[in-house]
Amino acid sequence: MFKKNRIPDRYILVVILGVLISGVGWLGYRSLVEVVGLNTAIDTFYNKPYSIRNDIYEFHHTIEQFEELWIHHHLGTESTPESDSVLSSELLSRLQTIDSLYSGIIEHFKTHELDLNKFEDAFATFSSGIHALKESGEYRIIKYEDHLQLTAAKNKVLNELSPFEKFAQRKAVEIFQQTISERSNLIKQLGIFVFVVILILILTGASIGVVLFKKNQRIEKAQNRFKDFILYAPIPIMIHQDGKVLLTSESWHISCGYTRDELTTIDDWIKKADADKEFKEKKEYINRLYEINDHQDDGIWNVKTKEGLIRKWHFFTGPLDDRTVISIGLDVTEEYEATNKLKLFKSAIDQSPVSIVITDKEGKIEFVNRFFTTITGYTNNEVLGKTPNILKSGEHGRSLYENLWDTITQGEIWSGEMINKSKSGELFWESSTISPIFNEAGTLTNFVAVKEDISERKKMEEE
C-alpha cells in the first residue's frame, strides 16, 4: 500500500527494450556486412592474383617431387623391370601435373601481359633434360652429371618465375588495400551510427530516468500527504490488509486507549476491543470485507476501551487496494444515548393523556402528539404548517387570543380555559398551558402547548 512505485511502466520498458534490440540487431547486421566485406577482400587476395602464386608454388613443389623421386630411386639402387615400371608411372604422373601447371602459368603471363619468352625457353631446357633421361620409353639410371644438368635447368625455370611471383604478390596486396579503402567510408558510417545509437540510448535512458524519478517523487509525496492525513485525522481511521494493520490515526488510539504496538493485527483489535465477545463472528465479517469491492455501513459496535469503558462506535469501510480496506470508526456514544432519550421522550409524549402542540415562533404548528389527533380529529400531516386558529370555535372574543399571544411572545407562560372545535365540528373544553422555548443564546424559537380535555368536568359543573 505504502511502498515506493516499482516502475509499473511496463510499456516504457518494452519500448526501451525494443529500441535496444533494434539497435543491437542493426549493429550486428552492419558488422556482419563488414565481416563479409573484409572476407571478400581476403578472398580476392587469395583467389585472384594470389592464386598465381599458388600455381607457382605447386609447380615448384611438383618439380622438386619429380627430382627427389627420381634421385631416390636411382642413386645407388639397382634397376629392375618392376621398379623401373613403377618409377616410370609415378614420374609420368608428376610430369603431367608439371605440364598442366605450366599451361596455367602461361595463361597468367598472357593475362597480365608479362614477358614469357625466357620462362618458355627455361622450361624447354628443363623438359628436354627430363626427356633425355628416357631410353626406350623408360627413365634410365641417373648419373651425377645428369643430376647437375637437371638441377641447373630446374633452377633456371624457377628463377624466371621469381619476378612473376613478386608481381603476383604485389598485385594481391594492392587489391586487398583497395578493398579495405573502399570500405573505410562504410566503417566510418558504422562508427558514427554506433555513436549516435549509444548517444540516443543514453539520452533516452536519462530522460526516462528523470521522468520516472519525478513521477516517483510525486507518488511518494502524495503517499506522505495521505499518511499525514490519516495520522492526524480528527476521527478514528484504520487501514488494514488481510488482517494486518498498516496504519492508524492518532484519534483511533486516543479514543480506545490502546497503543499501536498493542494493535498490530485485526485479531489484536477484536480480542481487546470487542465488548460483545463475538470474536469468531467479527473475524468472519471483517474477512468478508477484503473480498467486497464496495463501501459498507458496518453499523454500531460496542467497543471496550483500555480503561474498561463501553463506547458505541459506528463503523464504515471502503476498498483501497487489493485486499486492503480503510475503516472509519465514529464514537457516537453521546449521540446514541441522546437518540435513545429522544425516542423515549417522543414515546412519552405520544402516549401522554394530554394534547401537546409545538409551534415555531410565528405560531405555525411543527408537531402534535397522538392524543391531539384523538381529541381534534386532525392528523399530524393535516396541521403541519398551520396555526392553532383551525381549532377556533367562535365562542371567545378577540381579546382572549390577543392576550394569549402578547403573553407568550413576551416570554411568559399563559394558562387558561377555552372552547375549541374539532375537525368534525364538535365543541370541547380544554385547559391550556402555553410556554415559550428559548435556545442557548436566549432567543425565542418555539412555543409548546399542553392541553387537557376538561369537557366532562365542565358538564358536571353545569349540572
Side-chain angles (χ1 to χ4, degrees):
M1 174 66 192
F2 298 106
K3 297 178 181 177
K4 286 190 176 181
N5 183 35
R6 296 183 298 175
I7 312 178
D9 313 270
R10 289 170 291 192
Y11 297 111
I12 294 179
L13 295 178
V14 169
V15 171
I16 296 174
L17 186 59
V19 171
L20 287 172
I21 292 176
S22 300
V24 172
W26 199 91
L27 179 62
Y29 167 73
R30 297 305 299 171
S31 299
L32 182 62
V33 169
E34 283 305 303
V35 172
V36 172
L38 295 177
N39 285 341
T40 301
I42 294 172
D43 289 343
T44 302
F45 175 72
Y46 280 109
N47 296 334
K48 289 187 179 178
Y50 206 75
S51 65
I52 302 171
R53 294 197 67 219
N54 292 339
D55 290 348
I56 293 172
Y57 173 78
E58 189 174 355
F59 181 76
H60 186 298
H61 183 63
T62 306
I63 290 176
E64 294 285 354
Q65 283 183 330
F66 181 89
E67 183 181 17
E68 289 175 4
L69 180 64
W70 191 20
I71 292 173
H72 176 73
H73 186 77
H74 285 290
L75 285 179
T77 303
E78 293 185 2
S79 176
T80 64
E82 291 79 7
S83 63
D84 287 346
S85 175
V86 172
L87 174 65
S88 296
S89 176
E90 291 181 355
L91 291 177
L92 180 61
S93 174
R94 298 293 191 285
L95 193 59
Q96 288 174 347
T97 301
I98 291 172
D99 288 339
S100 175
L101 292 171
Y102 171 75
S103 300
I105 292 172
I106 292 297
E107 290 299 321
H108 288 313
F109 269 78
K110 291 179 180 178
T111 300
H112 295 284
E113 299 180 354
L114 298 173
D115 184 10
L116 54 79
N117 291 329
K118 292 182 179 181
F119 175 68
E120 286 181 323
D121 293 342
F123 186 78
T125 302
F126 174 74
S127 180
S128 298
I130 291 174
H131 289 288
L133 298 174
K134 280 185 127 185
E135 291 180 355
S136 303
E138 293 183 356
Y139 291 97
R140 61 178 173 79
I141 297 176
I142 189 170
K143 299 177 182 179
Y144 180 72
E145 55 268 20
D146 295 328
H147 173 62
L148 293 178
Q149 182 181 359
L150 184 61
T151 300
K154 177 199 72 173
N155 290 336
K156 187 176 182 180
V157 172
L158 297 179
N159 287 338
E160 294 301 332
L161 283 176
S162 180
F164 187 73
E165 261 190 294
K166 293 178 181 178
F167 163 78
Q169 183 175 7
R170 185 176 66 252
K171 194 68 175 175
V173 171
E174 287 176 1
I175 292 177
F176 183 76
Q177 290 176 341
Q178 181 182 358
T179 304
I180 295 298
S181 176
E182 289 173 353
R183 298 189 176 276
S184 62
N185 290 333
L186 184 57
I187 294 173
K188 291 178 182 178
Q189 294 174 3
L190 180 62
I192 293 172
F193 169 77
V194 172
F195 173 77
V196 171
V197 168
I198 293 174
L199 182 61
I200 291 174
L201 290 176
I202 292 174
L203 293 176
T204 302
S207 301
I208 293 174
V210 170
V211 171
L212 294 179
F213 176 74
K214 290 183 177 179
K215 182 178 180 181
N216 285 337
Q217 278 190 324
R218 290 195 298 270
I219 292 174
E220 187 174 355
K221 189 175 182 180
Q223 288 181 343
N224 289 334
R225 286 179 176 176
F226 182 70
K227 283 184 181 179
D228 291 341
F229 169 77
I230 298 298
L231 285 172
Y232 304 110
I235 57 176
I237 299 177
M238 175 187 286
I239 296 176
H240 48 104
Q241 181 184 55
D242 272 337
K244 181 180 180 181
V245 176
L246 302 180
L247 185 65
T248 49
S249 65
E250 292 292 338
S251 296
W252 188 287
H253 301 284
I254 292 172
S255 299
C256 70
Y258 297 105
T259 65
R260 284 191 172 84
D261 292 336
E262 292 175 308
L263 301 178
T264 59
T265 66
I266 291 297
D267 286 356
D268 293 338
W269 168 250
I270 299 176
K271 289 176 181 177
K272 289 180 172 65
D274 180 24
D276 299 324
K277 303 299 181 182
E278 298 175 345
F279 177 81
K280 182 178 180 181
E281 293 78 1
K282 298 289 175 63
K283 182 67 180 294
E284 290 177 353
Y285 178 83
I286 293 175
N287 285 338
R288 286 196 296 271
L289 294 178
Y290 299 129
E291 306 290 341
I292 301 173
N293 190 29
D294 197 7
H295 296 81
Q296 298 291 317
D297 182 346
D298 307 311
I300 296 176
W301 293 19
N302 292 319
V303 174
K304 182 179 180 181
T305 68
K306 192 172 183 178
E307 296 178 350
L309 300 177
I310 305 300
R311 306 290 294 179
K312 300 287 185 181
W313 282 30
H314 193 166
F315 285 99
F316 301 88
T317 59
L320 283 182
D321 204 347
D322 183 29
R323 298 185 64 80
T324 304
V325 298
I326 180 171
S327 296
I328 299 175
L330 303 178
D331 189 338
V332 295
T333 305
E334 285 73 19
E335 292 83 352
Y336 183 83
E337 292 176 352
T339 299
N340 285 341
K341 289 179 180 180
L342 286 174
K343 289 180 180 179
L344 178 62
F345 178 70
K346 184 177 183 302
S347 177
I349 290 176
D350 280 342
Q351 298 177 36
S352 175
V354 295
S355 296
I356 298 177
V357 180
I358 299 176
T359 71
D360 61 14
K361 64 180 181 179
E362 303 299 330
K364 294 180 181 179
I365 297 174
E366 292 183 346
F367 172 82
V368 294
N369 67 347
R370 292 178 185 175
F371 197 78
F372 173 87
T373 301
T374 301
I375 296 299
T376 66
Y378 290 103
T379 63
N380 188 66
N381 291 334
E382 289 176 316
V383 298
L384 289 180
K386 298 178 181 179
T387 66
N389 290 339
I390 60 172
L391 300 176
K392 275 187 177 183
S393 62
E395 298 291 329
H396 304 288
R398 183 176 180 180
S399 60
L400 174 68
Y401 297 106
E402 289 178 350
N403 176 261
L404 184 154
W405 186 252
D406 290 339
T407 300
I408 62 177
T409 54
Q410 290 178 10
E412 298 179 1
I413 298 173
W414 182 90
S415 296
E417 296 177 351
M418 64 177 66
I419 300 174
N420 286 325
K421 184 171 64 175
S422 68
K423 182 179 180 181
S424 63
E426 182 180 355
L427 299 178
F428 61 92
W429 278 91
E430 283 187 324
S431 174
S432 301
T433 299
I434 304 175
S435 303
I437 300 176
F438 300 92
N439 61 17
E440 295 179 354
T443 303
L444 178 64
T445 59
N446 299 87
F447 300 107
V448 57
V450 178
K451 301 187 290 181
E452 181 183 1
D453 183 4
I454 58 173
S455 300
E456 292 297 328
R457 193 188 76 185
K458 286 294 185 182
K459 286 181 181 181
M460 291 175 63
E461 288 178 355
E462 290 177 357
E463 293 176 356

